[in-house]
Amino acid sequence: MKSYSCRRILPSICVLIILLFSLSSCSSSSQAAISSAVEEASGIPTSSFLFSDATWDTTSDELEGLENKSISTTSFLGHGDKSYAFNDVSFNNLIGTNTYTYRGNQLWKVTFHYQGHLETEKSDAIIAKLKETYAAPTIDKSDLNENGTGVWLEWHLEAVNITYMYVSGSASNNNVIILAYELPDSQIPAIDSSSRNGDFRIGYWGDSIDTINYYETAEYQGTAADNSGLVYNGTVSGYAANIVYYFDSSEKLYKGGYQITEQYSQGASYIVAYNTLKENLISKYGTPTSDLKKNLSSLASYTDEGSALQLGYTVYQCCWETETSNITLGMLSQNYEINLILGYEDLNYESSPDTTGL
């Protein structure tokens, strides 16, 4: 049974964006050619990796049959990369994990990972097999410790790069072995997202998680705390921001948002940032359908705007509506922390009714 691996981060983003919306009603190269190039250039076998019978033209649909077991975890990695891990695989008398990383449909990295107690002799046996198969390493960055760990060897061949590492953890039963095969950059498909001027960044409402993972080039961070969205680091109008794509129960994109991560000591600086974003949105989408600054406390009139914002006395919100989207720019303070959020939501989205237990 497949499960999705993720780092659960930014638990407040989803809540904040929902709050803002509720404030008002408003391809790849031929792998046969790659294999042929490797064999011709180096004379090494390319039909399989030392720890797997896969080849560079193995598809993700073929992995379970090849490993003769179900995928343990599937992980979105950003920049078009998606990996499939198989636990409890055997290689050279070690039980570890095989991981296959694809960009689109192209397999470009295959890794064996072991962690646990390990005698140095077993590492030496793997190194001997690597040297027998691929000759002497191209680069040796090893810095050996007394227990024989600290090994770092690399083979840079015509059409494949191989890295072997044997390192020691904080305890004797926490040694780590990593053996990775990677295609060179020239053989990894380039992703062109320049034509995707979507409803939210490169995303069109209804896009799948795979589509967003493939085209978004901002730095991938993980998933939102409730696993409902993909989180990236990037910028909007020159401001550093967390970028979140949200998906419904059918894993279709229906909402997105920016959480500005710039840090200022004065509330007035946040107001400047808010107004800059507001003016840029007006330039793109026209006059907002609503534009409000609301006092939540009568104390707001007794202090300056920056302090009133910082103390939670005021909240700001602007809304726009396009043919496809509701757009909300909002700013508020929670526990003396100012949050500046820009959210986009599918104008035509209707959530499915909860029929659980009926």
Side-chain angles (χ1 to χ4, degrees):
M1 180 178 179
K2 295 181 182 179
S3 63
Y4 285 88
S5 172
C6 64
R7 286 177 290 168
R8 298 187 173 189
I9 58 178
L10 305 174
S12 64
I13 293 182
C14 185
V15 174
L16 289 170
I17 289 181
I18 290 173
L19 177 61
L20 283 171
F21 280 114
S22 66
L23 285 174
S24 72
S25 59
C26 54
S27 294
S28 66
S29 304
S30 168
Q31 292 312 298
I34 293 174
S35 296
S36 175
V38 175
E39 291 176 348
E40 182 177 342
S42 62
I44 65 173
T46 58
S47 57
S48 63
F49 308 96
L50 287 186
F51 51 83
S52 170
D53 291 330
T55 65
W56 290 119
D57 36 336
T58 296
T59 67
S60 58
D61 292 335
E62 296 171 328
L63 290 175
E64 292 187 329
L66 183 144
E67 289 282 358
N68 197 28
K69 62 173 61 184
S70 298
I71 295 170
S72 301
T73 57
T74 301
S75 301
F76 296 99
L77 307 176
H79 297 283
D81 293 340
K82 185 178 181 180
S83 70
Y84 305 86
F86 294 84
N87 297 334
D88 302 321
V89 296
S90 177
F91 166 57
N92 225 50
N93 298 317
L94 297 174
I95 303 299
T97 298
N98 282 354
T99 303
Y100 302 86
T101 303
Y102 287 79
R103 183 161 300 173
N105 297 320
Q106 174 64 67
L107 177 64
W108 72 271
K109 184 175 182 178
V110 183
T111 304
F112 173 81
H113 176 269
Y114 168 85
Q115 182 169 339
H117 178 71
L118 180 68
E119 296 85 0
T120 301
E121 289 77 10
K122 290 188 177 181
S123 172
D124 292 340
I126 296 175
I127 294 171
K129 183 174 289 189
L130 285 163
K131 290 180 177 179
E132 178 185 354
T133 307
Y134 307 114
T138 309
I139 299 175
D140 186 345
K141 300 180 181 179
S142 301
D143 184 9
L144 295 178
N145 299 322
E146 290 182 2
N147 58 5
T149 61
V151 177
W152 183 346
L153 304 174
E154 296 181 5
W155 286 259
H156 293 255
L157 306 176
E158 181 71 17
V160 64
N161 297 319
I162 304 169
T163 301
Y164 176 77
M165 302 185 74
Y166 172 39
V167 298
S168 176
S170 57
S172 60
N173 64 346
N174 197 29
N175 294 331
V176 175
I177 277 182
I178 297 174
L179 175 56
Y181 292 72
E182 296 183 29
L183 291 177
D185 291 342
S186 61
Q187 299 292 349
I188 302 174
I191 299 172
D192 182 10
S193 58
S194 59
S195 63
R196 289 186 63 87
N197 184 21
D199 299 302
F200 173 64
R201 292 177 63 85
I202 51 83
Y204 293 93
W205 303 134
D207 275 347
S208 67
I209 295 177
D210 279 304
T211 299
I212 300 304
N213 181 67
Y214 185 76
Y215 285 107
E216 179 56 75
T217 58
E219 182 184 358
Y220 179 73
Q221 293 296 299
T223 68
D226 56 359
N227 288 338
S228 63
L230 300 179
V231 182
Y232 299 81
N233 275 348
T235 61
V236 56
S237 291
Y239 293 102
N242 292 315
I243 304 162
V244 191
Y245 290 86
Y246 288 99
F247 303 88
D248 63 16
S249 58
S250 300
E251 297 189 346
K252 301 298 183 183
L253 180 68
Y254 77 101
K255 184 165 62 176
Y258 297 95
Q259 181 189 39
I260 305 304
T261 56
E262 303 279 356
Q263 297 291 314
Y264 304 110
S265 59
Q266 300 295 324
S269 298
Y270 286 93
I271 295 173
V272 171
Y274 176 89
N275 287 332
T276 298
L277 289 167
K278 176 181 170 181
E279 290 304 316
N280 290 343
L281 287 162
I282 290 173
S283 296
K284 185 170 183 177
Y285 300 110
T287 303
T289 56
S290 69
D291 183 358
L292 63 86
K293 171 191 170 186
K294 184 176 181 180
N295 289 336
L296 304 179
S297 169
S298 59
L299 296 174
S301 59
Y302 294 98
T303 186
D304 61 89
E305 285 188 332
S307 297
L309 170 65
Q310 207 154 17
L311 293 169
Y313 297 162
T314 56
V315 61
Y316 294 72
Q317 185 193 66
C318 273
C319 296
W320 290 261
E321 185 176 302
T322 71
E323 292 181 357
T324 63
S325 307
N326 285 318
I327 302 170
T328 304
L329 174 67
M331 183 168 60
L332 69 162
S333 179
Q334 291 183 320
N335 299 321
Y336 304 102
E337 182 178 345
I338 297 173
N339 293 282
L340 178 51
I341 304 290
L342 173 58
Y344 295 69
E345 188 171 28
D346 184 357
L347 181 65
N348 301 307
Y349 176 73
E350 295 182 5
S351 60
S352 301
D354 185 358
T355 58
T356 303
L358 297 180

